[in-house]
Amino acid sequence: DVVLTQTPSTLSATIGQSVSISCRSSQSLLDSAGNTYLYWYLQRPGQSPQLLIYLVSNLGSGVPNRFSGSGSGTDFTLKISGVEAEDLGVYYCMQATHAPYTFGAGTKLELK
Amino acid sequence: EVQLVESGGGLVQPGASLKLSCVASGFTFSDYWMSWVRQTPGKTMEWIGDIKYDGSYTNYAPSLKNRFTISRDNAKSTLYLQMSNVRSEDTATYYCTRDLGYWGQGVMVTVSS
């Protein structure tokens, strides 16, 4: 199975600060058709996961543009440009290139 | 508005069977692949499997393939997860998702004697 390693596990930020989360894969997520099925989700406390980014860098429906995704192959990054209070929670990356699809362990974003 | 509402969870004894349902609304159910994902009490996320929009193909996590079955009824806009011979490690919140993009609110399953 593909292992996704997220760092850091915990991130402390102030409102307005820009932060980044890394997601590294144990193998390339580029498929034979040239697609990279790397997703980012935010799970706020007591809620189900919400899609933020799909296919590495595409913003989900209704997601603010302070969120951005980048990367290729095995290295991916989620950036929040100006953290807001509603961004607090746990961020997960997920890959759907290789079955079984797998998730990172999560990064908890908290207020400093 | 896309809505996914899971049901059928609860407390179940080890070795028993359980069937979860997910009723979809706000979109044409028969146009989309659907998935089940679970989250353990320790917050680990695990993909269970998915099913093609017409129900003709399913894909499972190998570790669950022999005990879990995903099906759908497009006439009822409902997705199912049949769980058999459940174990304590199946204790989790179970989510249905549309194409991994929209998630339901989840249903808790606790396996304990």
Side-chain angles (χ1 to χ4, degrees):
Chain A
D1 297 0
V2 173
V3 176
L4 297 180
T5 302
Q6 278 186 244
T7 55
S9 56
T10 304
L11 193 50
S12 295
T14 57
I15 300 300
Q17 182 180 352
S18 292
V19 298
S20 293
I21 300 169
S22 170
C23 178
R24 289 189 170 175
S25 175
S26 60
Q27 57 184 279
S28 176
L29 300 184
L30 179 67
D31 76 357
S32 57
N35 298 311
T36 302
Y37 294 93
L38 190 282
Y39 300 75
W40 289 98
Y41 297 93
L42 165 60
Q43 186 173 33
R44 297 184 176 95
Q47 296 187 16
S48 56
Q50 171 198 357
L51 178 69
L52 298 174
I53 301 286
Y54 64 97
L55 295 175
V56 180
S57 59
N58 294 276
L59 218 54
S61 176
V63 176
N65 60 13
R66 63 179 178 275
F67 292 93
S68 62
S70 63
S72 63
T74 61
D75 288 351
F76 303 92
T77 301
L78 174 72
K79 183 177 181 180
I80 310 173
S81 300
V83 169
E84 298 192 5
E86 65 181 19
D87 300 339
L88 304 183
V90 181
Y91 290 79
Y92 295 95
C93 58
M94 176 193 172
Q95 68 81 23
T97 297
H98 304 287
Y101 308 156
T102 51
F103 291 81
T107 295
K108 184 176 183 179
L109 177 61
E110 56 187 25
L111 275 181
K112 188 181 291 183
Chain B
E1 179 193 4
V2 173
Q3 285 200 329
L4 300 168
V5 180
E6 301 94 338
S7 62
L11 177 62
V12 60
Q13 292 196 335
S17 295
L18 191 66
K19 190 171 187 177
L20 305 182
S21 301
C22 170
V23 176
S25 60
F27 64 99
T28 303
F29 183 72
S30 57
D31 284 349
Y32 290 88
W33 284 73
M34 299 292 293
S35 301
W36 286 98
V37 176
R38 68 184 183 182
Q39 185 172 35
T40 68
K43 303 302 182 184
T44 298
M45 303 287 289
E46 181 178 19
W47 176 78
I48 296 169
D50 56 15
I51 185 167
K52 194 175 179 180
Y53 41 82
D54 60 0
S56 62
Y57 179 78
T58 52
N59 196 20
Y60 295 95
S63 61
L64 300 173
K65 184 174 184 176
N66 292 335
R67 298 188 298 119
F68 288 15
T69 302
I70 298 173
S71 61
R72 64 192 296 161
D73 184 337
N74 285 347
K76 295 182 178 180
S77 296
T78 302
L79 177 72
Y80 301 101
L81 177 65
Q82 177 71 52
M83 306 166 60
S84 62
N85 190 24
V86 296
R87 307 165 180 169
S88 58
E89 53 263 39
D90 295 324
T91 294
T93 297
Y94 287 74
Y95 296 99
C96 72
T97 91
R98 190 198 86 172
D99 241 359
L100 301 173
Y102 289 91
W103 295 52
Q105 86 287 350
V107 61
M108 289 188 61
V109 173
T110 302
V111 181
S112 175
S113 54

